[in-house]
């Protein structure tokens, strides 16, 4: 198509159009400053000093478009070491910016600055960022909002407005570092949280918290996009809005076939985007938003409380947007019972990829390597001259294929990149359990796990099928597993022991849901597939922080490909040193 320029004005318009097209194609660079600093926060009538980003709790929202480059300058002003993980960002060849301490980087020490640099590639939706060292993600977290490229519409009915992200968290009256350190010293379970929060606020169902209630203000007859993030440390959550339905349109920044529910379940590390349609006319009422745990462990060993927010309607007949009207009736949603695994299964099986030409489900149809991982709890012997509070006087532990990962004192990725791996790790992580047993039946007499620093090596572009099997050792439990550096497809799941002969015939290889964090069903298994197209060292771990602390974690070592575009980029010059 020929373009004729007849004046300076036309030239300016053409240049502006061309610049816009370049921005759309290449994205822009967005800069953020994250200052790690202490702040005093009061919740549940108690004040404590917490680690924050920029003094905010939760931390600042990070906004970008698909294709943008993001530079986050993190400066540590506190006495604790720090690292930040950009949960769900693919980090294509930029594993140095992934964030887990002693896996892809040494932590940022007090007084140090590190700039995380990455590009948002083929992703759009809601992700989140959080501290990835010890238990600091209890207060150091925030939302990542990735908008589609300019001019690209959502593949679902456009919302009239986007509401602020809703981030679920947990709150302890005591210092969380003291809690986890005490638990590790005595080998027992750490104290459970004192409350759940929505955007840092516990809500009116907790003592002394009526003023600390999150409120969403909406108008009648509108369709809103609501972004949900579960940043809780140790609990999967049910969520519902009284007398309203939620249409699920996206999980972990990947579009899904829309479906409508009254209640959804969301695991730590997962995000869910929903459409909320408000009442066609002013209802003259307020509506509670409830979140409370899904747990298969016995009552009393988890925070079995409920966080509430309030959905308020603006009265079109009112001259101003009045504050919360206590005189109005307020409705409560009904949530499933705390251990309703049947509900969770029905919800998760509804999740399907769009699988369209524009948003295909690129699930590997053939597999180069198959792996079988047992996921569960165990024990370690109690050290001499110490009394332990774990089962039968042992220490609590957790493991993948009976290996409880011990993090080294230097970063695994640096060791991999330099080839100086001796004394740091071995690339001999077991592809299958070394001692098979009846995984969901009577547990073996010996519940001790092995410890070590082992990685599983993959050649570039290997197509992988991984079955993760829950075990009944110390009780069955759902485990949300997060894989860094990749999205994967959930091709199958079931209960009992995985049958390698019969179960693959039921795999969904057409439109399985694509995500970065998946729950291994309590007393069951889940099968995922992914393509190892991202060189580096990539952490995989349970997103229940207590289980990660006990060692339910491992790492994949993906080798470089043959082309320059298939190789891990060199480390940046400001990489923190151990």
């Amino acid at each position: 198509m020929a373009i004729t320029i007849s004046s300076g004005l036309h030239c300016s318009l053409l240049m502006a159009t061309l610049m816009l097209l370049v921005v759309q194609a290449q994205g822009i660079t967005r800069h953020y400053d994250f200052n790690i600093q202490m702040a005093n926060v009061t919740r549940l009538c108690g004040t404590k000093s917490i680690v924050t980003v920029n003094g905010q709790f939760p931390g600042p929202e990070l906004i970008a478009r698909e294709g943008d480059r993001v530079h986050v300058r993190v400066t540590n002003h506190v006495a604790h070491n720090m690292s930040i993980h950009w949960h769900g960002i693919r980090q294509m060849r930029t594993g140095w910016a992934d964030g887990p301490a002693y896996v892809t980087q040494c932590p940022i020490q007090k007084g140090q600055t590190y700039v995380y640099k990455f590009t948002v590639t083929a992703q759009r939706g809601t992700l989140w960022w959080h501290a990835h060292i010890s238990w600091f993600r209890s207060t150091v977290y925030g939302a990542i909002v990735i908008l589609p490229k300019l001019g690209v519409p959502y593949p679902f009915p456009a919302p009239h407005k986007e509401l602020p992200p809703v981030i679920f968290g947990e709150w302890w009256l005591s210092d969380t570092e003291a809690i986890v350190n005490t638990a590790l010293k005595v080998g027992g379970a750490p104290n459970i949280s004192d409350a759940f929060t929505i955007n840092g606020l516990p809500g009116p169902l907790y003592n002394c918290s009526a003023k600390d209630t999150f409120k969403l203000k909406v108008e009648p007859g509108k369709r809103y996009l609501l972004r949900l993030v579960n940043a809780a440390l140790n609990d999967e959550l049910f969520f519902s809005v009284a007398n309203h339905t939620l249409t699920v349109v996206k999980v972990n920044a990947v579009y899904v076939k829309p479906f409508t529910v009254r209640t959804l379940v969301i695991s730590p590390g997962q995000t869910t985007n929903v459409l909320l349609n408000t009442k066609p006319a002013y209802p003259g009422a307020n509506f509670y938003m409830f979140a409370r745990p899904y747990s298969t462990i016995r009552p009393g060993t988890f925070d079995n409380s409920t966080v509430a927010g309030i959905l308020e309607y603006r009265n079109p007949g009112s001259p101003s947007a009045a504050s919360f009207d206590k005189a109005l009736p307020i409705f409560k949603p009904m949530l499933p019972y705390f251990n309703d695994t049947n509900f969770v299964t029905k919800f998760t099986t509804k999740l399907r990829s769009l699988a369209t030409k524009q948003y295909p489900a690129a699930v590997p149809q053939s597999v180069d390597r198959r792996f079988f991982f047992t996921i569960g709890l165990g024990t370690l012997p109690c050290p001499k001259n110490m009394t332990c509070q774990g089962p039968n006087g042992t220490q609590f532990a957790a493991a993948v294929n009976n290996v409880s990962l011990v993090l080294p004192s230097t970063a695994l990725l640096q060791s991999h990149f330099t080839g100086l791996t001796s004394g740091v790790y071995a690339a001999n992580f077991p592809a299958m359990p070394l001692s098979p047993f009846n995984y969901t039946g009577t547990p073996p007499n010996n519940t001790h796990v092995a410890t070590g620093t082992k990685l599983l090596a993959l050649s570039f572009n290997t197509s992988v099928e991984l079955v993760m099997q829950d075990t009944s050792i110390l009780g069955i439990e759902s485990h949300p597993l997060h894989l860094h550096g990749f999205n994967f497809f959930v091709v199958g799941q079931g209960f009992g022991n995985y049958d390698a002969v019969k179960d693959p015939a039921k795999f969904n290889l057409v439109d399985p849901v694509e995500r970065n964090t998946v729950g291994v069903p309590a007393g069951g298994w889940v099968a995922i597939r992914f393509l190892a197209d991202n060189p580096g060292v990539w952490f995989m771990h349970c997103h229940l922080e207590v289980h990660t602390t006990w060692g339910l974690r491992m790492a994949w070592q993906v080798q470089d490909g043959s082309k320059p575009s298939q190789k891990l980029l060199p480390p940046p010059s400001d990489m923190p040193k151990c």
Side-chain angles (χ1 to χ4, degrees):
M1 181 172 114
I3 298 177
T4 302
I5 301 174
S6 57
S7 69
L9 176 60
H10 288 166
C11 183
S12 298
L13 289 172
L14 178 60
M15 288 300 297
T17 301
L18 291 174
M19 289 179 65
L20 178 61
L21 291 173
V22 169
V23 168
Q24 286 180 298
Q26 299 181 351
I28 63 173
T29 302
R30 298 177 184 259
H31 297 269
Y32 289 87
D33 279 303
F34 278 21
N35 288 291
I36 310 298
Q37 57 194 65
M38 305 301 295
N40 290 330
V41 175
T42 300
R43 297 288 186 270
L44 309 177
C45 279
T47 301
K48 69 175 183 178
S49 185
I50 65 172
V51 181
T52 70
V53 169
N54 299 348
Q56 301 176 36
F57 172 65
E61 187 178 313
L62 191 156
I63 301 175
R65 284 195 182 275
E66 179 186 351
D68 284 352
R69 295 168 298 281
V70 178
H71 293 180
V72 187
R73 187 175 188 268
V74 178
T75 304
N76 188 7
H77 300 282
V78 305
H80 309 284
N81 288 347
M82 185 55 55
S83 71
I84 304 291
H85 170 51
W86 318 95
H87 187 113
I89 295 290
R90 285 291 315 274
Q91 299 291 358
M92 299 300 295
R93 303 171 61 215
T94 55
W96 310 104
D98 193 43
Y102 303 107
V103 177
T104 58
Q105 69 168 93
C106 297
I108 307 167
Q109 300 175 34
K110 182 179 180 180
Q112 288 185 341
T113 294
Y114 177 47
V115 182
Y116 292 88
K117 297 180 179 180
F118 54 87
T119 300
V120 180
T121 304
Q123 293 181 284
R124 74 291 295 175
T126 307
L127 298 172
W128 63 300
W129 58 264
H130 60 83
H132 213 305
I133 183 170
S134 193
W135 279 32
F136 288 112
R137 78 173 177 90
S138 61
T139 58
V140 180
Y141 60 82
I144 301 176
V145 173
I146 304 173
L147 302 171
K149 290 184 177 182
L150 287 168
V152 178
Y154 291 125
F156 51 79
H160 296 101
K161 186 178 181 181
E162 295 198 11
L163 295 169
V166 168
I167 310 178
F168 305 111
E170 284 181 271
W171 182 262
W172 282 259
L173 284 166
S174 301
D175 177 63
T176 52
E177 289 305 287
I179 289 171
V180 66
N181 288 336
T182 298
L184 290 174
K185 286 179 182 177
V186 300
N191 292 343
I192 62 174
S193 55
D194 296 290
F196 293 102
T197 58
I198 297 177
N199 288 1
L201 303 173
L205 304 186
Y206 295 102
N207 290 335
C208 197
S209 298
K211 63 180 178 56
D212 295 325
T213 300
F214 176 72
K215 297 174 182 178
L216 277 179
K217 299 183 185 298
V218 297
E219 297 181 1
K222 300 290 186 182
R223 180 169 50 245
Y224 292 91
L225 180 65
L226 184 58
R227 302 173 184 268
L228 307 173
V229 178
N230 188 350
L233 263 71
N234 294 313
D235 288 280
E236 301 178 88
L237 296 169
F238 295 116
F239 174 72
S240 184
V241 181
N243 295 10
H244 290 72
T245 58
L246 305 170
T247 300
V248 178
V249 294
K250 190 180 297 188
V251 295
N252 288 139
V254 179
Y255 295 122
V256 296
K257 291 182 172 70
F259 63 97
T260 300
V261 295
R262 291 195 174 274
T263 301
L264 57 82
V265 64
I266 182 169
S267 296
Q270 291 182 343
T271 66
T272 304
N273 283 13
V274 298
L275 294 177
L276 171 71
N277 289 303
T278 57
K279 304 294 183 183
Y282 177 65
N286 294 307
F287 304 90
Y288 272 131
M289 304 177 288
F290 279 179
R292 73 165 179 240
Y294 159 64
S295 177
T296 55
I297 58 178
R298 62 187 182 276
T301 55
F302 65 99
D303 182 355
N304 192 18
S305 62
T306 303
V307 60
I310 298 176
L311 186 74
E312 297 179 0
Y313 277 76
R314 187 181 70 82
N315 186 350
S318 174
S320 62
S323 60
F324 177 55
D325 187 350
K326 294 181 179 179
L328 292 176
I330 187 164
F331 293 96
K332 298 179 180 180
M334 293 291 293
L335 291 178
Y337 198 53
F338 77 90
N339 61 354
D340 194 343
T341 297
N342 186 51
F343 176 92
V344 173
T345 303
K346 288 181 178 179
F347 176 82
T348 55
T349 53
K350 291 178 182 176
L351 294 167
R352 292 284 187 270
S353 290
L354 280 184
T356 61
K357 183 177 180 180
Q358 186 174 5
Y359 302 104
V363 56
Q365 297 297 305
S366 60
V367 174
D368 297 321
R369 298 190 66 184
R370 286 183 167 85
F371 302 96
F372 183 84
F373 289 177
T374 55
I375 306 292
L377 304 185
T379 59
L380 285 169
C382 189
K384 293 181 179 179
N385 303 318
M386 179 176 161
T387 300
C388 291
Q389 298 177 1
N392 301 315
T394 62
Q395 300 179 77
F396 272 111
V400 180
N401 273 356
N402 209 50
V403 177
S404 186
L405 176 67
V406 178
L407 291 176
S409 57
T410 188
L412 293 171
L413 184 61
Q414 182 70 30
S415 300
H416 162 69
F417 183 78
T418 60
L420 303 175
T421 62
S422 178
V424 180
Y425 70 83
N428 61 348
F429 186 88
M432 300 184 70
L434 299 180
S435 301
F437 60 98
N438 182 2
Y439 306 114
T440 55
T442 302
N445 292 328
N446 182 6
T447 61
H448 288 345
V449 301
T451 59
T453 309
K454 301 180 178 183
L455 275 60
L456 205 161
L458 295 171
S459 299
F460 184 80
N461 255 5
T462 298
S463 57
V464 173
E465 179 180 287
L466 168 64
V467 175
M468 293 181 283
Q469 171 76 59
D470 183 36
T471 73
S472 58
I473 298 175
L474 305 186
I476 62 171
E477 191 169 354
S478 175
H479 298 279
L481 264 291
H482 171 46
L483 175 60
H484 291 228
F486 299 93
N487 280 356
F488 51 76
F489 292 93
V490 183
V491 297
Q493 66 178 48
F495 291 96
N497 295 339
Y498 173 73
D499 189 320
V501 176
K502 296 179 181 179
D503 287 327
K506 297 176 283 187
F507 283 179
N508 175 10
L509 303 181
V510 177
D511 61 350
V513 67
E514 179 183 353
R515 56 190 328 164
N516 60 59
T517 306
V518 66
V520 179
W525 56 270
V526 65
I528 66 173
R529 288 187 179 186
F530 66 94
L531 185 66
D533 60 351
N534 196 6
V537 174
W538 302 107
F539 206 25
M540 190 176 81
H541 60 96
C542 182
H543 229 279
L544 302 179
E545 202 65 39
V546 59
H547 293 171
T548 298
T549 301
W550 287 340
L552 210 168
R553 53 196 182 187
M554 58 83 65
W556 303 82
Q557 178 196 72
V558 180
Q559 304 292 342
D560 282 347
S562 57
K563 301 177 181 178
S565 62
Q566 299 172 342
K567 298 181 185 299
L568 176 67
L569 293 171
S573 59
D574 62 341
M575 279 294 299
K577 304 291 191 297
C578 287

